[in-house]
């Protein structure tokens, strides 16, 4: 049995609350309003904190409430800190939305495939095969797909349980708090803007190459060349026009975007099928032989380096979770679409890389246009035009899906009050966040036109990996979080007891409520042996284990990635730090595994928790440490800019500010083991419901 609290604002004048508080068992004391105080039925005296409009226990032995000097300021600071970590509660219905629920499982699957199978298939495979791995690029893609699957399962679970737009931003908001959520959303905005600009540049470059670079030469001849840091060598008008055209299609509604994505994805998949079939016909197994350097000429280290690069080929499945608010049946469609899209993308990358290295020797590949050049070398130059057609269709789908997802992240933040309210506007006919599409489509076009994308593209990596990390941590918090019990009131007419919860993740327990183990508690079989873990406050062991897991994962990543190259640790120091961080990591896993998890019916839940999220955290942080210092510096500057936006606007306009201030009517939803769901509201003029067991 579970319950959650939601609130409706009423008049907050203190005198209007007196009858209600009196009937609740409180008596008013004090001669003047500024010294009013309340004594509860047990005789405990409460005093009013005038600065924070809150009621606090009075000092022991006081006959009357007294005002403590400096208390309002301290209470105000504490209240502000509470704002930073407040979680988003559940709305009236997770399925109610101003957006249009029109996307099927097929639509979501093709959205994911279109986001993952883009320029990487036509450029990344040749680059990694020639410069990093050789034919073992196949192994790199397999390992990268498995690593991506760990993050994808986390997104699938959240997308099914929280069918709202916002992706990693929303998942962090409901489980970890407002400040972290805003920073994740802020990074997602940058990620999508730069990704859209980079894909548009690649699109225009591929088209320019088909016309013998005449477009580029014409631009430089008539507009000149710039020599300004962070700006492109020359403006790319074609790329900017592509972004604006894609924005226009996205603004027409989800149905139009989905139809266009279906068409282009079908063409792209047909071209990939053609490449695989013809490539295996032209295959020469001797190209993997010892005469050409063998299957893995760069060894194990080359395979792992290739894995780190290939991992980014699978970035894009988060668009499925971001679109869950427009899915018809998100509980079923989101997990299925994530699995199908990742499987299709992995199959495409593995098969194409196999035929590419079988057609010609890996050291003969052209990194810039490997597939087209491979067919040309085998005497099938006409096939290069089909490859170019497929690449343009694939990159167009990536562009469309990025511009489809970006305004929805902005919309989610604006609806929550953390970003400017104007971006929460939804067009009544197309049912899309129109202003977000227009403004951020134009911003992406400007970035595409002017900035040097190569200097900013590493932001894609660090922003994506950070989002993956926070989603994995959110899964752990959601699975093991023990709901904060605020009391056990009885409802009128019922002898069953209900527990009160206030966070979003607690309210999620209403799905299939009342059955299964209570999360955050030790498993019954282990209580005789590990009972000391429950001696502290409820859920303390789980919180410490999650914190220990994250800290040890960070330490483990630092030792593995920086121990020799940057820190120059001696062997004994390296082994000692590795042992300490590894043991802490394993102990944290064991402590979490000893506790019960949430078990929900009819909702997808990823297997092997906490192992898979923990491994995902370690992997993501290791990959983040492979990025350059300059990337971390730029990332820090961007975070500070986001922090200033949040502290200047978001924290003061957040919808959570008016959810439970003093003087609200509190509605509580209680779910009982017999399946009933009841709501009770406490009004100023009505005494709270009293049950048989109430005092």
């Amino acid at each position: 049995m579970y319950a959650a609290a939601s609130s409706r604002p009423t008049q907050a004048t203190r005198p209007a609350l007196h009858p209600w508080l009196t009937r609740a068992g409180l008596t008013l004391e004090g001669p003047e309003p500024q010294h009013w105080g309340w004594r509860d039925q047990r005789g405990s005296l409460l005093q009013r904190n005038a600065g924070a409009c809150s009621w606090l226990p009075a000092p022991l032995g006081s006959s009357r409430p007294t005002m403590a000097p400096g208390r309002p300021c301290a209470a105000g600071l504490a209240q502000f800190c509470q704002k930073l970590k407040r979680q988003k509660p559940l709305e009236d219905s997770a399925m109610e939305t101003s957006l249009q629920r029109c996307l099927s499982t097929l639509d979501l699957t093709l959205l994911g495939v279109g986001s993952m199978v883009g320029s990487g298939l036509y450029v990344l495979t040749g680059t990694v095969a020639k410069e990093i791995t050789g034919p073992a690029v196949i192994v790199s893609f397999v390992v990268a797909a498995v690593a991506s699957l760990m993050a994808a399962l986390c997104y699938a679970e959240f997308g099914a349980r929280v069918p709202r737009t916002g992706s990693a931003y929303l998942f962090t908001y409901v489980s970890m708090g407002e400040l972290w959520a805003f920073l994740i959303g802020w990074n997602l905005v940058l990620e999508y803007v730069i990704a859209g600009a980079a894909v548009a540049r690649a699109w225009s470059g591929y088209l320019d190459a088909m016309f013998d670079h005449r477009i580029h030469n014409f631009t430089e001849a008539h507009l000149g060349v710039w020599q300004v840091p962070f700006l492109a060598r020359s403006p790319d008008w074609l790329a900017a026009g592509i972004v604006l055209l894609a924005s226009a299609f996205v603004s027409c509604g989800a149905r139009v975007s989905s139809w266009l994505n279906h068409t282009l994805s079908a063409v792209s998949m047909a071209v990939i099928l053609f490449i695989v079939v013809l490539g295996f016909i032209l295959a020469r197994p001797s190209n993997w032989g010892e005469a050409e350097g063998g299957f893995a000429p760069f060894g194990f280290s080359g395979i792992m380096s290739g894995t780190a690069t290939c991992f980014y080929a699978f970035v894009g499945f988060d668009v499925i979770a971001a679109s869950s608010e427009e899915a018809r049946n998100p509980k079923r469609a989101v997990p299925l679409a994530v699995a199908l899209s990742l499987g299709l993308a992995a199959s495409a990358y593995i098969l194409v890389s196999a035929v590419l290295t079988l057609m010609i020797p890996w050291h003969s590949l052209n990194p810039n246009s490997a597939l087209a050049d491979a067919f040309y070398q085998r005497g099938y130059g006409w096939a290069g035009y089909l490859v170019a057609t497929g690449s343009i269709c694939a990159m167009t789908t990536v562009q469309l899906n990025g511009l489809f997802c970006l305004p929805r992240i902005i919309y989610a933040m604006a609806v929550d009050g953390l970003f400017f309210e104007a971006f929460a506007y939804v067009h009544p006919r197309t049912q899309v966040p129109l202003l977000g599409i227009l403004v951020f489509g134009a911003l992406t076009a400007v970035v595409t036109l002017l900035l040097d994308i190569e200097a900013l593209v590493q932001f894609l990596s660090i922003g994506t990996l950070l989002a993956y990390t926070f989603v994995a941590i959110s899964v752990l918090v959601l699975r093991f979080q023990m709901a904060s019990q605020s009391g056990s009131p009885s409802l009128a007419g019922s002898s069953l007891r209900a527990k009160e919860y206030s966070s979003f993740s607690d309210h999620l327990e209403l799905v299939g409520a009342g059955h299964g183990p209570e999360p955050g508690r030790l498993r019954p079989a282990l209580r005789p042996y590990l009972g000391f873990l429950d001696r502290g406050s409820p859920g303390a062991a789980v919180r410490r284990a999650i914190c220990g897991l994250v800290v040890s994962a960070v330490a483990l990543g630092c030792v593995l990635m920086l121990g020799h190259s940057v820190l120059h640790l001696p062997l004994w120091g390296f082994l000692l730090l590795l042992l300490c961080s590894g043991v802490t990591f394993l102990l944290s896993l064991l402590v979490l595994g000893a506790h019960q998890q949430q078990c929900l019916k009819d909702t997808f839940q990823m297997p092997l928790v906490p192992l898979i999220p923990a491994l995902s955290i370690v992997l993501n942080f290791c990959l983040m440490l492979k990025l350059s210092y300059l990337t971390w510096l730029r990332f820090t500057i961007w975070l500070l800019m986001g922090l200033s936006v949040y502290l200047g606007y978001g924290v003061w306009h957040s919808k959570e500010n008016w959810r439970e201030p003093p003087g609200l009517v509190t509605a509580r939803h209680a779910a009982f083991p017999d399946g009933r769901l009841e709501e009770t509201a406490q009004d100023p003029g009505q005494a709270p419901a009293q049950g048989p067991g109430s005092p």
Side-chain angles (χ1 to χ4, degrees), residues 37 39 60 86 142 144 181 187 246 292 303 328 354 369 383 464 487 501 562 572 593 622 655 660 689:
R39 188 182 297 276
L60 292 176
R86 57 194 171 189
V142 171
N187 286 321
E292 302 294 347
I303 293 175
R328 294 172 188 163
S369 55
T464 300
Y501 300 93
L562 306 177
W572 66 268
C622 287
K655 295 296 176 63
E660 287 191 15

Side-chain angles (χ1 to χ4, degrees), residues 5 67 90 194 231 257 306 438 543 604 623 690:
M67 299 300 295
L90 184 63
I194 295 177
L231 292 184
S257 303
L438 298 179
R543 290 192 296 269
F604 172 78
L623 293 177
Q690 299 288 326

Side-chain angles (χ1 to χ4, degrees), residues 198-235:
V199 171
R201 282 292 184 97
W203 198 103
S204 68
Y206 221 101
L207 189 64
D208 186 41
M210 293 177 63
F211 291 97
D212 254 348
H213 302 287
R214 295 175 184 172
I215 302 174
H216 180 73
N217 294 336
F218 177 85
T219 302
E220 289 195 351
H222 290 79
L223 298 178
V225 176
W226 299 338
Q227 299 293 338
V228 181
F230 297 107
L231 292 184
R233 179 179 172 86
S234 60

Side-chain angles (χ1 to χ4, degrees), residues 320-533:
I320 298 174
S323 307
S324 60
E325 191 166 341
E326 292 163 279
R328 294 172 188 163
N329 183 13
K331 283 187 179 182
R332 179 181 181 275
V334 171
L336 191 57
V338 168
L340 289 175
S341 61
L342 191 61
L344 289 173
S347 300
Y349 277 107
I350 292 168
L351 291 174
V352 168
S353 59
V355 301
L356 181 62
T357 53
L358 284 171
M359 286 171 62
I360 61 175
W362 61 270
H363 50 75
S364 302
L365 293 172
N366 180 356
N368 296 323
S369 55
L371 284 170
D373 187 68
F375 284 112
Y376 179 79
Q377 290 188 39
R378 295 300 304 273
Y380 289 80
W382 56 269
Y385 292 100
L386 287 177
V387 172
T389 302
S391 66
I392 289 177
C393 289
M395 285 185 280
T396 303
T397 58
V398 175
Q399 186 74 62
L400 282 171
N401 294 335
L403 290 172
F404 181 87
C405 194
L406 171 60
R408 283 155 177 80
I409 301 292
I410 298 296
Y411 164 80
M413 297 174 69
V415 166
D416 292 333
L418 302 187
F419 206 64
F420 304 108
E421 187 179 0
F423 291 103
Y425 170 74
V426 174
H427 193 274
R429 185 175 64 84
T430 59
Q431 292 184 291
V432 295
L434 185 61
L435 186 61
I437 294 173
L438 298 179
V439 171
F440 283 89
L443 177 62
T444 305
V446 171
V447 171
T448 306
L449 180 68
L450 301 177
L451 296 185
D452 180 13
I453 303 302
E454 293 182 3
L456 300 175
V457 76
Q458 284 199 24
F459 268 124
L460 292 176
S461 306
I462 196 168
T464 300
L465 292 171
L466 186 68
Y468 286 179
T469 302
F470 270 83
V471 171
I473 298 173
S474 298
V475 168
L476 293 176
V477 172
L478 183 63
R479 283 289 194 96
F480 292 97
Q481 176 171 299
M482 177 180 292
S484 53
Q485 185 173 338
S486 58
S488 299
S490 297
L491 297 178
S494 174
S495 61
L496 296 172
R497 307 289 288 179
K499 294 179 182 177
E500 299 178 8
Y501 300 93
S502 57
S503 71
F504 186 94
S505 52
D506 298 331
H507 198 164
L508 290 173
E509 300 173 38
L510 291 174
V511 183
H515 303 284
E518 184 178 357
R521 295 287 186 184
L522 271 175
R523 298 179 185 273
L526 298 177
R527 286 172 188 168
Y529 311 101
L530 300 176
F532 62 91
L533 292 176

Side-chain angles (χ1 to χ4, degrees), residues 9 25 42 84 149 169 246-247 348 361 406 408 426 515 547 551 553 570-571 576 605 682:
R42 293 172 296 181
L84 303 183
L149 180 62
Y169 155 76
S247 300
L406 171 60
R408 283 155 177 80
V426 174
H515 303 284
C547 291
V551 172
L571 181 60
L576 179 62
Q605 288 188 296
Q682 295 175 348

